[in-house]
Amino acid sequence: MKNVFSFIMNLIVIALSLLAVFGHFFAPLWTINLQITLTPEIAEVIFPKSENPTEEEKTMEMLIDEIAKENVSLSAKLDFAAAEVINCALTEDENTKNVVLGSIDALVDSVDSEKLASIEDSIARASVATAIKSQVTKFTDVLDKDVDQIMQDIGIDDEFISGKTTDILDSLRAEDATVDSITDSVMTVVDDVYDKLENSDFSDQIADLSTDDRTAIEETVKSLVSLIADEDGNVDGNDFISRLFAELLSGDESSSEQTGAVFTNDISFQTKKLNTSAILFENLEENPEEKDLKEVLREKLYAVVSDGVVGFFKKVFIAATIMLAFSSFWWLFLIVKILLRTLTKNPYIKLKSAIMFGWIPFAILYIIPSALVWLLADPASFIWGWIGSIFPSLKTIISGVAISFASSALVSIICTAVLFVFGIIYSICRATYKADKE
């Protein structure tokens, strides 16, 4: 009877050991949930302002500031399967590179059409705000006030900008959109801004928008919009914004020059640079399939995957494989010991090796990274006393990144906990069995 009971007890240990080892393959070994938000603080760190910026740089800095105010964020879920990690650790670097590129694909593909439209709208609002500020900037010296104060005084607030952006986007995305309808919506914003200036306390200090200047702006807008219209003057704006931002994201020299031409606050300069600005829109027509925002983003991230990056991930995968092998060894060692003790006088074994080392994967893949993120996000003062002096921008960047982890190694720590509790009963049986035999 005691032999049957010991067999059942050992069978439970074997089951727990097998579950702890193969549990890593039931779900992704490591899951990283990311949410990255471009806050004004992070924008200041990532895009430091020049000491002596050109007019184009000033405008781009203004645009970045406005985009940061939108708190644009991206969320992604990255999964790394145990079999995938082990395969990368034991094979050539090409497999590791494919896994990294696959993670990038998952990140980019997580940006669905709804999220993409939200990001586009945020950037569009920032662009409208930047264009308005660029015009208002011309009056800062005359009025001896900064841009934000002037806008506040004349009543150009977030609600105004959001409303005007919506009007422009609606006109661009409308099924019956035409060159004239889009141009009219843009000129309505221009007229409203100058109406507010004329009706403000500053009306006698600034010059009105002349007919010639307004005509110049209208002709510039109409000419640019015409480049994306068909022969009948109709405009398909469903994917135009995405393609436009993709072209700007490409970041070549011509795009930089064109961007400066579009956003500069000098009307005559805009008109003179119309031909170079037109190149941007012509490129969209010539290569529409190459200007998808997600594809450009994918290419940009692909470019980051250098041999050094691949080598880093290869080392991480090797370390993870060694960790899994080390932990699994002690679980499988229990099974081997049970099999070797089956025909002996005392079939019970000691369980402490698995209890001591079986939980290591969960500690490394979940507990340690989660604790590190918590410390960086809300650290004790003594930690920042020395870390803050070495990495003064680290806390700022971490503040805009939300990271959480999950791991199939949860199975191993559950098995360790169960084995620990079960081990109390098991050790009593082991001691009793030994005493009876003596």
Side-chain angles (χ1 to χ4, degrees):
M1 183 65 183
K2 284 190 175 183
N3 288 334
V4 174
F5 185 76
S6 65
F7 174 77
I8 294 175
M9 296 292 282
N10 280 335
L11 195 60
I12 294 174
V13 174
I14 291 175
L16 285 173
S17 299
L18 292 175
L19 182 60
V21 172
F22 293 102
H24 298 121
F25 299 88
F26 294 165
L29 177 64
W30 204 22
T31 297
I32 306 175
N33 295 293
L34 289 171
Q35 181 174 344
I36 305 172
T37 303
L38 181 64
T39 63
E41 293 77 16
I42 292 179
E44 188 174 347
V45 172
I46 299 177
F47 305 103
K49 296 183 179 179
S50 304
E51 294 184 2
N52 298 303
T54 62
E55 288 302 315
E56 289 82 1
E57 288 174 339
K58 287 180 181 178
T59 305
M60 291 308 299
E61 288 174 0
M62 195 182 299
L63 178 60
I64 291 171
D65 289 342
E66 293 302 321
I67 293 176
K69 291 179 182 178
E70 293 288 327
N71 285 327
V72 176
S73 64
L74 285 176
S75 299
K77 180 180 179 182
L78 305 179
D79 292 330
F80 297 94
E84 199 172 50
V85 169
I86 295 172
N87 179 61
C88 290
L90 301 178
T91 58
E92 62 275 7
D93 291 353
E94 187 65 27
N95 288 330
T96 301
K97 183 176 181 179
N98 290 336
V99 169
V100 175
L101 295 180
S103 296
I104 291 176
D105 289 336
L107 176 63
V108 174
D109 293 338
S110 68
V111 183
D112 56 22
S113 57
E114 182 178 349
K115 183 61 178 178
L116 190 60
S118 175
I119 294 174
E120 292 169 358
D121 289 354
S122 294
I123 297 178
R125 277 192 297 272
S127 300
V128 171
T130 302
I132 293 174
K133 283 190 174 183
S134 294
Q135 293 297 316
V136 176
T137 299
K138 296 186 294 184
F139 310 123
T140 55
D141 292 336
V142 176
L143 302 177
D144 194 24
K145 291 186 176 184
D146 62 28
V147 175
D148 291 327
Q149 185 61 52
I150 296 175
M151 290 177 64
Q152 181 180 335
D153 291 343
I154 67 177
I156 300 179
D157 53 14
D158 292 339
E159 184 177 354
F160 174 87
I161 292 174
S162 179
K164 296 307 176 184
T165 304
T166 299
D167 292 342
I168 293 175
L169 290 175
D170 287 346
S171 68
L172 183 61
R173 291 169 173 164
E175 292 183 3
D176 56 349
T178 63
V179 172
D180 289 336
S181 66
I182 295 173
T183 302
D184 288 344
S185 68
V186 173
M187 294 310 300
T188 297
V189 177
V190 175
D191 291 336
D192 287 349
V193 170
Y194 276 90
D195 284 344
K196 286 183 174 293
L197 284 167
E198 291 174 3
N199 294 324
S200 70
D201 296 335
F202 312 130
S203 57
D204 58 343
Q205 302 179 54
I206 58 178
D208 295 337
L209 178 65
S210 67
T211 302
D212 290 341
D213 283 345
R214 189 187 186 285
T215 301
I217 296 176
E218 184 174 12
E219 290 302 320
T220 299
V221 174
K222 184 174 294 187
S223 297
L224 290 175
V225 176
S226 296
L227 293 172
I228 61 169
D230 60 22
E231 57 185 13
D232 296 323
N234 298 316
V235 177
D236 181 4
N238 289 331
D239 65 341
F240 166 71
I241 297 175
S242 175
R243 290 160 53 196
L244 175 59
F245 292 140
E247 181 72 17
L248 296 176
L249 183 62
S250 297
D252 54 29
E253 293 180 1
S254 60
S255 291
S256 299
E257 180 183 0
Q258 295 149 13
T259 303
V262 171
F263 285 116
T264 183
N265 59 18
D266 184 83
I267 296 174
S268 62
F269 186 76
Q270 286 183 7
T271 305
K272 292 176 182 178
K273 287 293 185 178
L274 177 58
N275 290 334
T276 57
S277 301
I279 297 174
L280 175 63
F281 294 85
E282 290 170 347
N283 285 343
L284 297 180
E285 287 190 324
E286 292 172 3
N287 305 298
E289 69 282 353
E290 295 179 4
K291 299 304 176 183
D292 178 79
L293 179 57
K294 290 174 65 172
E295 292 308 313
V296 172
L297 179 59
R298 194 190 310 273
E299 291 174 6
K300 288 291 182 181
L301 293 176
Y302 273 6
V304 176
V305 185
S306 62
D307 291 341
V309 171
V310 173
F312 170 78
F313 276 96
K314 181 67 174 286
K315 291 177 182 176
V316 170
F317 292 155
I318 290 174
T321 300
I322 293 174
M323 170 199 65
L324 288 175
F326 179 78
S327 174
S328 298
F329 169 80
W330 295 107
W331 287 106
L332 296 175
F333 186 53
L334 295 184
I335 299 176
V336 173
K337 287 201 299 182
I338 288 174
L339 294 177
L340 293 177
R341 295 291 296 272
T342 301
L343 302 178
T344 63
K345 294 182 178 180
N346 188 347
Y348 291 99
I349 63 173
K350 294 181 179 180
L351 307 176
K352 63 181 182 180
S353 60
I355 295 174
M356 289 175 60
F357 304 116
W359 56 278
I360 288 179
F362 186 75
I364 294 178
L365 295 175
Y366 180 82
I367 297 176
I368 293 177
S370 296
L372 182 60
V373 169
W374 178 82
L375 285 173
L376 292 175
D378 188 21
S381 57
F382 74 91
I383 295 178
W384 283 116
W386 60 276
I387 291 185
S389 61
I390 302 174
F391 305 107
S393 302
L394 184 57
K395 185 177 181 180
T396 299
I397 295 175
I398 290 296
S399 67
V401 181
I403 308 177
S404 62
F405 303 93
S407 174
S408 60
L410 177 64
V411 175
S412 66
I413 198 171
I414 291 176
C415 289
T416 302
V418 172
L419 186 66
F420 177 78
V421 176
F422 176 76
I424 298 174
I425 302 173
Y426 189 92
S427 61
I428 294 174
C429 295
R430 178 173 176 271
T432 304
Y433 194 99
K434 185 177 179 180
D436 288 347
K437 289 299 181 181
E438 291 176 349

